[in-house]
């Protein structure tokens, strides 16, 4: 007899590309984000929480030529009754910047200008999941809206350095690299693939060049030169068509890639030579010079922040300075090979994003930290506190005295000690200790009828017991017993003493 398909049990697993976060994952993330928030607040930034759902129109992802606008977002169409406008498409936010642009436009008459905010929370990407690539992840952003001066960009870079150091990334283990899209546009103009009078011309060539520059670390100078020229053949024989630049044009781009010098001033001087004749390029160099001077005046030297022309942020809305935080220490990849940890944060200036709503240019700049990547880096360096100790467990020896046990736990909690009463089946004392072990509990409080009559409690030092079982000799075990007796009215003091000994 065939089974009724309606009776099939659901699979106990999350959708592909999603995951669950348990105890230490959540507490470590919270501790890190709390530390970053302290840095941002010291710099005068205020928190902002926006809805997880925005209109697709506000996110800028609406694609009218398909039935469902799902290019990178999880979207759905509301019915007429529930929508603010009939047929509205809604979507889970894919970053924290697009919602900020909507807020800045919606409340422009109420918010201070400039508006400085930070935001932390999950975002969702409707993309193909893979190893280490999830469709829901956390971001941590800080942005200034309404400040045209590059002093705002310099401040964001300095604040990012402070945040990385505050969470445990030491100087020498990170580098914040700064470039400017205007300089890159100037290079494109000098190379003959950007015409200010006709911005749409040479769009394919520019896209190919940008992608090639972004692969410099992977393919090296020769590979990038191939990609901006006729094309590149890889080891397997696959051919990638290039941008088709001539030798002189390629020299301009490659000169830009190798323009970094020992100081910000020297790098800017070289860039000025490369973009001579391009007004937008020279404007970008002047902005980089100003950023370098502002940072140097505050003590942010090349050991923390540098001007680096190789930085190319991929998002199309960047209009000026761009920056990226890279962790420079080495780790072993899944094949045991050494490699640098890589980027954990990036951002830049996006003066056109709020304009989509208002029709007026509103300057803005900001940075986004990849929370999961930064957490992974801190774990790699051993900079996390590890899992928080579990609660003190008050065991249940007599069900009729549950009020007494609850009173003990409450007394401990009032003293600031994490505690709970075992609320499972108390028949087996062994099961209660197994539960305490799974919870990572440092101490078990025991009071049976005999102890209650004598006005005492037994305290089982579970952490010490585990160490003795694993390491101690018989003499050490006798000298430092893992269970002791304490007066009932001295419960808090006795528990504190044991916790301090651990």
């Amino acid at each position: 007899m065939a089974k009724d398909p309606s009776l099939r049990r659901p699979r106990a697993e999350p959708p592909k590309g999603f995951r669950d976060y348990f105890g230490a994952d959540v507490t470590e993330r919270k501790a890190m984000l709390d530390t970053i928030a302290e840095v941002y607040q010291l710099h005068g930034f205020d928190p902002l929480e926006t809805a997880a759902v925005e209109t697709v129109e506000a996110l800028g992802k609406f694609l009218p030529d398909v039935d469902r606008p799902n290019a990178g977002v999880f979207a759905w169409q509301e019915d007429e009754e529930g929508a603010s406008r009939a047929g509205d498409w809604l979507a889970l936010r894919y970053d924290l910047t697009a919602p900020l642009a909507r807020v800045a436009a919606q409340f422009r008459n109420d918010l201070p200008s400039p508006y400085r905010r930070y935001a932390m929370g999950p975002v969702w990407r409707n993309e193909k999941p893979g190893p280490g690539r999830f469709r829901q992840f956390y971001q941590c952003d800080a942005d200034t809206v309404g400040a045209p001066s590059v002093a705002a960009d310099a401040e964001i870079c300095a604040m990012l350095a402070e945040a990385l150091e505050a969470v445990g990334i030491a100087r020498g283990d990170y580098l914040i690299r700064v470039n400017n899209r205007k300089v890159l546009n100037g290079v494109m103009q000098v190379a003959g693939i950007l015409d200010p009078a006709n911005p749409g011309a040479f769009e394919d060539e520019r896209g190919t060049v940008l992608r090639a520059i972004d692969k410099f670390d992977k393919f090296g100078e020769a590979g990038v030169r191939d990609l901006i020229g006729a094309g590149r053949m890889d080891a397997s024989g696959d051919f990638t068509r290039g941008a088709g630049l001539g030798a002189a044009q390629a020299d301009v781009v490659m000169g830009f890639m190798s323009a970094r010098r020992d100081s910000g001033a020297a790098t800017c001087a070289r860039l000025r030579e490369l973009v001579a004749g391009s007004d937008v390029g020279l404007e970008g160099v002047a902005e980089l010079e100003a950023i370098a001077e502002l940072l140097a005046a505050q003590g942010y030297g090349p050991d923390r922040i540098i001007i680096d022309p190789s930085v190319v942020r991929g998002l199309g809305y960047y209009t000026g300075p761009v920056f990226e935080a890279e962790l420079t220490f080495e780790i072993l990849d899944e094949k045991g090979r050494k490699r640098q940890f890589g980027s954990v944060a990036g951002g830049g200036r996006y003066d056109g994003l709020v304009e989509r709503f208002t029709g007026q240019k509103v300057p803005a700049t900001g940075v986004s930290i990849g929370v999961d990547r930064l957490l992974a880096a801190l774990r790699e360096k051993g900079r996390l506190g590890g899992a928080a100790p579990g609660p003190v467990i008050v065991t249940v020896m007599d069900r009729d005295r549950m009020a007494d046990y609850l009173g003990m736990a409450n007394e401990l909690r009032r003293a600031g000690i994490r505690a709970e009463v075992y609320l499972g089946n108390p028949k087996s004392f062994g099961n209660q200790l197994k539960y305490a072990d799974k919870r990572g509990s440092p101490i078990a409080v025991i009071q049976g009828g005999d102890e209650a009559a004598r006005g005492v409690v037994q305290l089982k030092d579970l952490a010490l017991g585990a160490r003795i079982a694993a390491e101690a000799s018989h003499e050490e075990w006798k000298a430092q017993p893992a269970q002791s007796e304490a007066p009932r009215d001295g419960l808090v003091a006795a528990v504190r003493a044991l916790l301090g000994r651990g």
Side-chain angles (χ1 to χ4, degrees), residues 98-139:
L100 170 64
R102 190 263 303 158
V103 166
Q106 182 179 357
F107 299 101
R108 59 187 179 277
N109 295 325
D110 304 314
L111 294 172
S113 184
Y115 174 50
R116 299 150 70 83
R117 83 90 176 87
Y118 67 90
M120 302 170 176
V123 297
W124 295 266
R125 302 278 172 91
N126 191 359
E127 299 172 343
K128 184 178 180 181
R133 186 182 182 89
F134 293 94
R135 302 164 91 181
Q136 175 184 322
F137 52 94
Y138 269 72
Q139 285 188 339

Side-chain angles (χ1 to χ4, degrees), residues 187-323:
V187 169
M188 300 286 187
Q189 189 176 347
V190 172
I193 54 173
L194 177 62
D195 181 2
N198 184 11
F202 309 109
E203 192 169 347
D204 289 344
E205 290 86 346
R206 286 197 303 278
T208 302
V209 169
L210 286 173
R211 288 190 292 274
I213 292 174
D214 207 27
K215 290 182 172 63
F216 186 83
D217 289 343
K218 183 177 181 180
F219 294 145
E221 182 175 345
V224 171
R225 186 176 280 273
D226 288 341
L227 286 171
I228 65 177
R232 179 180 180 274
M233 182 84 72
D234 66 18
S236 68
D238 288 339
F239 181 76
T240 302
R241 187 171 63 87
L245 271 60
Q249 293 174 299
D251 287 342
V252 173
V253 175
M254 297 311 298
F256 170 75
M257 291 296 298
S258 60
R260 181 178 154 190
R261 299 293 186 263
D262 292 337
S263 69
T267 300
C268 289
R270 175 57 181 146
L271 291 173
R272 189 173 289 279
E273 294 173 357
L274 288 169
V275 299
S278 168
D279 290 341
V280 68
L282 292 171
E283 182 182 335
V285 173
E287 291 179 354
L288 285 179
E289 288 173 332
I291 290 172
E293 290 171 4
L294 289 167
L295 291 170
Q298 299 174 77
Y300 297 93
D303 61 325
R304 303 163 86 184
I305 306 174
I306 61 170
I307 305 299
D308 186 351
S310 68
V311 177
V312 178
R313 298 293 299 163
L315 294 177
Y317 57 66
Y318 289 124
T319 59
V322 290
F323 20 88

